[in-house]
Amino acid sequence: MSTNTLYLGYHVSSAGGYMAMGKRAAALGANTFAFFTRNPRGGAAARVEEGDAAAFCAWASERGFGPLVAHSPYTLNPCSDKPLVRDFAKRAFTEDLERMELTPGCFYNFHPGSHVGQGTEAGIQMIAELLNTVLMPDMHTTVLLETMAGKGSEIGGRFEELREIIDRVELKDKLGVCLDTCHIWDGGYDIVSDPDAVFAEFDRVIGLDKLRAVHLNNSLNALDSHKDRHAKILDGKLPPEALARIVCHEALAGRPIILETPNDDAGYAAEIAWLREQWAARHG
Ligand code: FE
Ligand code: FE
Ligand code: ZN
């Protein structure tokens, strides 16, 4: 990984395995990507071929790919009030981290959880407990807490909540944060008027060294709306210029940046090309 490289990608379909994902991503101009480790709405993990993963790792390092940003299923909720849901979270997390060892040095991102009325404090405690169960000293993956929009009883809408989780986790070096631009905008952090102030606030509360990956999305809704509806880069409430500024911000240098915008392949290719142009204009 190089801090002078722009690592840009999008959520690729996991069909066909790692090599297939890598080739789909590269064809659209990406040099990293995100994928769901299993059906995003839950269910069993896809079967993984070790040979395919090893071939992909060699191919990706030759091409200078940045670290991948795998995404856990949306149904994973470590702070549900239902024991069966919490059990699924633990099992899925454990299996997914085992699978991630096939592609060492990558990220595994998850939504911290929704406390469903049990309270933020109780939720934070359950999330930290899960992490203290599944993180292992010898693993080669960094687990990322995603910044959330603060919709409903979601935990992670405030930087302070993520800090509180990190504080309670023993293996802190295995843990980081993935910053989602739509989510923090919806959560009330004004990355349009003053991105420097938002990054300074992130640094003050969590520490920029913990910021390891980015989800780059525009938003359909206004600042502080707590909605979480993604929009295309060129077509949302945030001026595209503001998103370009974030992509080029020194606080994010070298971090993989993943588009989660509502697009088809041509749309992703166009957004990647546009962002690379913006980057080149600023970096020469
Ligand atoms: Fe997410
Ligand atoms: Fe996201
Ligand atoms: Zn979202």
Side-chain angles (χ1 to χ4, degrees):
M1 192 188 94
S2 155
T3 51
N4 294 318
T5 305
L6 175 59
Y7 297 110
L8 261 185
Y10 63 102
H11 260 269
V12 302
S13 145
S14 57
Y18 288 98
M19 271 313 282
M21 289 194 282
K23 287 187 171 160
R24 273 199 290 277
L28 302 192
N31 54 351
T32 178
F33 58 85
F35 64 99
F36 283 107
T37 48
R38 61 185 69 214
N39 183 322
R41 301 281 158 205
R47 268 187 38 148
V48 174
E49 300 289 340
E50 285 183 33
D52 171 49
F56 166 78
C57 289
W59 177 89
S61 98
E62 203 166 296
R63 296 185 70 103
F65 260 51
L68 310 183
V69 189
H71 200 303
S72 77
Y74 293 134
T75 45
L76 191 153
N77 185 8
C79 54
S80 168
D81 55 348
K82 298 186 180 66
L84 277 176
V85 175
R86 293 200 302 272
D87 285 350
F88 169 77
K90 190 172 145 189
R91 200 174 64 243
F93 220 113
T94 305
E95 286 174 9
D96 285 357
L97 287 181
E98 221 167 279
R99 169 195 174 152
M100 293 297 295
E101 288 298 304
L102 297 174
T103 54
C106 291
F107 297 116
Y108 178 74
N109 171 75
F110 77 111
H111 296 181
S114 290
H115 65 68
V116 292
Q118 301 171 100
T120 303
E121 161 59 29
I124 285 171
Q125 184 56 28
M126 286 187 260
I127 295 161
E129 276 166 19
L130 173 92
L131 289 167
N132 281 328
T133 309
V134 299
L135 298 184
M136 295 294 161
D138 57 350
M139 65 189 235
H140 301 86
T141 300
T142 304
V143 169
L144 304 182
L145 298 154
E146 183 167 349
T147 61
M148 301 308 291
K151 189 176 65 180
S153 67
E154 261 172 13
I155 304 229
R158 305 296 307 164
F159 296 161
E160 285 80 359
E161 294 169 4
L162 299 179
R163 170 59 194 263
E164 191 61 41
I165 295 168
I166 295 167
D167 277 346
R168 297 182 195 192
V169 169
E170 285 154 37
L171 297 173
K172 291 181 177 39
D173 61 316
K174 304 296 179 193
L175 194 56
V177 173
C178 174
L179 182 138
D180 186 308
T181 54
C182 167
H183 295 176
I184 66 169
W185 167 261
D186 284 20
Y189 293 96
D190 190 350
I191 46 175
V192 174
S193 307
D194 202 346
D196 290 348
V198 174
F199 287 122
E201 175 69 357
F202 189 102
D203 195 32
R204 184 185 70 81
V205 177
I206 301 176
L208 278 174
D209 58 318
K210 284 279 175 226
L211 208 178
R212 305 299 300 280
V214 178
H215 286 168
L216 191 78
N217 303 306
N218 209 321
S219 173
L220 284 179
N221 293 292
L223 179 69
D224 212 16
S225 60
H226 303 284
K227 286 281 207 309
D228 189 4
R229 302 274 315 279
H230 301 190
K232 296 181 186 183
I233 296 303
L234 300 181
D235 189 18
K237 291 286 184 207
L238 289 81
E241 280 307 318
L243 289 167
R245 227 180 299 136
I246 287 168
V247 163
C248 300
H249 200 284
E250 56 178 8
L252 300 179
R255 271 66 159 192
I257 297 176
I258 305 294
L259 298 163
E260 299 179 307
T261 45
N263 273 307
D264 55 14
D265 281 3
Y268 284 123
E271 287 188 348
I272 289 169
W274 186 80
L275 290 164
R276 290 204 188 283
E277 272 169 40
Q278 303 299 309
W279 167 271
R282 286 168 174 83
H283 290 81

